[in-house]
Amino acid sequence: MYRHFLKRLFDIVLSALALILLAWLFVILAIIIKIDDPGPVFFSQRRVGKNKKLFKLYKFRTMKMCTPHDTPTHLLENPEQYITKVGKFLRKSSLDELPQLWNILTGAISIIGPRPALWNQDDLIAERDKYGANDIKPGLTGWAQINGRDELEIDVKAKFDGEYAKTLKAGGFKAFAFDCRCLFGTVFSVLRGDGVVEGGTGEIKKHEVEKK
């Protein structure tokens, strides 16, 4: 019952309330983004949803207009050069993710679930296939996000996503409790700014190897 009804109900109620209560913040951030770097306020990308069906995911734009589109941050050469001044703050605070409340309300993603991969992140998609993580709806945040986020390498991230998928598919109170754990864990991670590394997936380990 939780997986097929209550989880979706919670998504609708919480995302709708958040959109209403945070409308003032959307307006302020939109103005600041426009002033900092003229162009669209919102940024959209094709992402992989449940059963690998593609959808448009929305974010506040944090990159300059000259940034290559549909390219994962960790594949950009010197990604810092493309991030706007306000974008650095938005990414560090995770405020750039707020427009995904609309994705949650419309049912493309859930509050909790594996972070949706870019349509061309074949390595991550393939790894998730091994654990059945592509069979469930992706989320705004999830088990992998509170266990390392950008610090995690692809195979490690996919394993965390697989653990979540397995628990959700089992359903019941355990699935609900796991979602609560991910939600509250996300709040603490965001407040601490944990796991945000410009350059992307596995970046910390890469730097550690380079230092040796």
Side-chain angles (χ1 to χ4, degrees), residues 43 45 47 59 62-63 67-83 91 96 118 120-121 150 196-201 203 206:
F43 172 72
Q45 283 182 323
R47 296 282 183 130
K59 289 187 176 187
T62 61
M63 310 289 274
T67 307
H69 197 69
D70 276 346
T71 302
T73 306
H74 69 282
L75 294 181
L76 290 172
E77 184 176 347
N78 186 19
E80 289 279 357
Q81 67 178 312
Y82 295 108
I83 303 174
R91 293 163 76 92
D96 62 317
L118 274 167
N120 55 2
Q121 283 185 290
D150 294 335
V196 180
V197 184
E198 296 307 343
T201 304
E203 191 69 9
K206 185 175 75 175

Side-chain angles (χ1 to χ4, degrees), residues 179-207:
D179 271 3
C180 290
R181 182 178 180 183
C182 291
L183 182 60
F184 289 115
T186 296
V187 173
F188 290 116
S189 293
V190 168
L191 291 175
R192 293 193 301 261
D194 291 346
V196 180
V197 184
E198 296 307 343
T201 304
E203 191 69 9
I204 284 184
K205 185 172 182 179
K206 185 175 75 175
H207 287 323

Side-chain angles (χ1 to χ4, degrees), residues 4 8 20 22 32 40 49 51-52 59 70 85 87 90 98 110 119 138 142 147 157-158 192 196:
H4 298 290
R8 178 60 185 146
I20 294 171
L22 297 176
I32 295 174
N51 297 321
K52 294 189 279 192
K59 289 187 176 187
D70 276 346
K85 293 177 182 178
L90 292 176
L98 284 180
S110 181
W119 65 273
N147 280 287
K157 183 179 293 186
R192 293 193 301 261
V196 180

Side-chain angles (χ1 to χ4, degrees), residues 102-153:
W102 178 252
N103 287 124
I104 296 171
L105 187 62
T106 58
I109 66 175
S110 181
I111 294 175
I112 308 297
R115 282 297 295 157
L118 274 167
W119 65 273
N120 55 2
Q121 283 185 290
D122 297 327
D123 49 356
L124 178 57
I125 296 169
E127 281 295 317
R128 283 177 170 171
D129 268 336
K130 297 178 181 178
Y131 305 101
N134 290 317
D135 303 337
I136 63 172
K137 191 179 292 186
L140 175 65
T141 185
W143 186 226
Q145 276 56 55
I146 65 174
N147 280 287
R149 197 172 173 177
D150 294 335
E151 299 176 9
L152 301 176
E153 294 196 338

Side-chain angles (χ1 to χ4, degrees), residues 2-14:
Y2 175 71
R3 178 188 175 189
H4 298 290
F5 176 70
L6 290 179
K7 184 175 173 68
R8 178 60 185 146
L9 179 61
F10 290 149
D11 284 344
I12 293 173
V13 172
L14 293 178

Side-chain angles (χ1 to χ4, degrees), residues 161-172:
D161 292 333
E163 288 178 20
Y164 176 80
K166 183 178 179 180
T167 303
L168 180 63
K169 290 175 183 178

Side-chain angles (χ1 to χ4, degrees), residues 13-37:
V13 172
L14 293 178
S15 61
L17 282 174
L19 284 168
I20 294 171
L21 295 175
L22 297 176
W24 62 273
L25 182 56
F26 273 70
V27 174
I28 292 175
L29 293 178
I31 294 172
I32 295 174
I33 291 169
K34 275 284 189 182
I35 294 174
D36 186 33
D37 187 67

